[in-house]
Amino acid sequence: MISDKCPYHECDGSGLIVVVKEDLSTVGVICPCLEQKQLMRKIQSARIPDDYANVTVKEFDPAVYKDEINVDKAKYAKKVAIRFVEKYYDLREMGKGLYFYSHIKGSGKTHLAISITNALIQKYNVQPLYISSVNLLSEIKNTFNQHSKTTSYDLLIAFKEADVLVIDDLGVEKSTEWSEEILTEILEERMNYNRLTIITSNIPVEQLSTKYPAGRIESRIENMTFPISMPEESVRRLLSKKENDRIAEMFFK
């Protein structure tokens, strides 16, 4: 029976279409909605925020930036993102991820990083993991609580062994000797086993030692990622203004 639970209106929501053959026997056929559900489960297990669950590289629009230099930067970043997805197997062999950086917040770093991640899930069936550097460290700290059901070892293994690890906003977290050691341990493991890491930050790679004085984080990220300078312009602010203009039109049309 066809149900509204199926976005394609082809099954009853179970992901299976019952087809009656000429001899009146029945056979089960996979409905397209099942693949969509499996994809969404993978996105959810990757911890990708709901706002970014459906973003794509294709919809990343360089034209939203105002300054010509920022438009050019966005075009370059988008081209690299597209090629990164296309050359995933080669880059995985090299263990070479991406490092998106800009000083300004809302420049599109996270959008593009997660767009790539979504594309890798769909095209290569990878199991990535997304987390901000602040939450990464907070989750590990929370395991020190005697009532925690998760151990720091379990979390570190998850961060070290994810097919693709996306670390968002590196450098925003409070820097301590402990936090630097944790991040270094994760990056060291991923670098040694050629596991792809995608990072966003407001700090250029060559300036990371100002945040992490031991210098090990800078050297590892320099080795394991390709740096991409993002526009120094807040596209988030521009998009919010466009959305508010559309809402204002709705109210006063």
Side-chain angles (χ1 to χ4, degrees):
M1 184 176 67
I2 295 174
S3 167
D4 289 337
K5 292 180 180 178
C6 173
Y8 301 94
H9 299 290
E10 292 187 16
C11 76
D12 60 1
S14 66
L16 196 65
I17 303 170
V18 178
V19 177
V20 180
K21 299 168 69 176
E22 290 183 3
D23 62 1
L24 299 182
S25 63
T26 59
V27 61
V29 178
I30 299 298
C31 179
C33 76
L34 183 61
E35 185 178 347
Q36 185 184 50
K37 289 175 182 176
Q38 290 172 339
L39 175 63
M40 288 308 298
R41 279 197 291 268
K42 205 146 201 173
I43 287 173
Q44 288 166 356
S45 66
R47 299 183 174 191
I48 291 173
D50 290 345
D51 287 349
Y52 293 100
N54 298 308
V55 295
T56 65
V57 176
K58 184 178 180 180
E59 72 181 15
F60 181 80
D61 185 10
V64 300
Y65 298 91
K66 290 183 177 180
D67 295 338
E68 187 175 343
I69 188 171
N70 288 328
V71 172
D72 289 341
K73 280 187 172 185
K75 285 180 179 178
Y76 173 78
K78 182 173 183 176
K79 187 176 292 186
V80 171
I82 291 170
R83 295 295 285 167
F84 184 88
V85 174
E86 292 174 350
K87 297 292 184 181
Y88 168 70
Y89 287 129
D90 293 331
L91 292 162
R92 185 180 66 176
E93 190 72 21
M94 298 166 64
K96 205 74 170 179
L98 297 171
Y99 185 88
F100 296 98
Y101 67 95
S102 66
H103 293 292
I104 197 166
K105 297 177 181 178
S107 66
K109 300 186 290 290
T110 300
H111 181 115
L112 201 50
I114 297 182
S115 295
I116 292 170
T117 309
N118 287 342
L120 294 178
I121 293 173
Q122 294 182 46
K123 191 169 183 178
Y124 302 106
N125 200 33
V126 302
Q127 184 55 69
L129 186 58
Y130 164 89
I131 193 164
S132 70
S133 61
V134 171
N135 287 343
L136 184 155
L137 295 167
S138 292
E139 287 194 17
I140 293 175
K141 279 184 180 177
N142 288 340
T143 64
F144 301 157
N145 185 313
Q146 61 178 341
H147 301 296
S148 174
K149 295 180 181 179
T150 307
T151 68
S152 59
Y153 174 81
D154 291 334
L155 283 178
L156 285 170
I157 288 295
F159 298 139
K160 290 176 181 179
E161 296 187 355
D163 291 343
V164 177
L165 178 66
V166 183
I167 303 178
D168 201 15
D169 280 336
L170 182 72
V172 171
E173 78 286 348
K174 183 178 179 181
S175 184
T176 64
E177 186 176 337
W178 174 82
S179 65
E180 187 169 353
E181 285 178 358
I182 291 294
L183 290 170
T184 300
E185 182 180 341
I186 293 168
L187 293 173
E188 175 84 19
E189 178 88 2
R190 298 191 64 79
M191 182 182 71
N192 289 342
Y193 289 93
N194 282 355
R195 295 186 180 118
L196 292 184
T197 308
I198 298 174
I199 300 170
T200 74
S201 179
N202 62 352
I203 307 172
V205 177
E206 63 273 14
Q207 295 177 17
L208 283 169
S209 288
T210 60
K211 176 75 178 183
Y212 310 105
R216 294 176 296 168
I217 288 180
E218 180 180 315
S219 65
R220 280 149 185 77
I221 290 177
E222 190 174 44
N223 180 273
M224 63 196 291
T225 64
F226 180 80
I228 302 173
S229 176
M230 292 291 287
E232 291 296 343
E233 192 175 317
S234 178
V235 70
R236 186 184 299 153
R237 187 177 300 126
L238 292 172
L239 293 175
S240 294
K241 185 179 184 305
K242 282 187 176 182
E243 189 175 72
N244 286 338
D245 288 344
R246 286 198 301 270
I247 292 172
E249 189 177 342
M250 288 167 55
F251 289 158
F252 303 106
K253 191 172 180 179

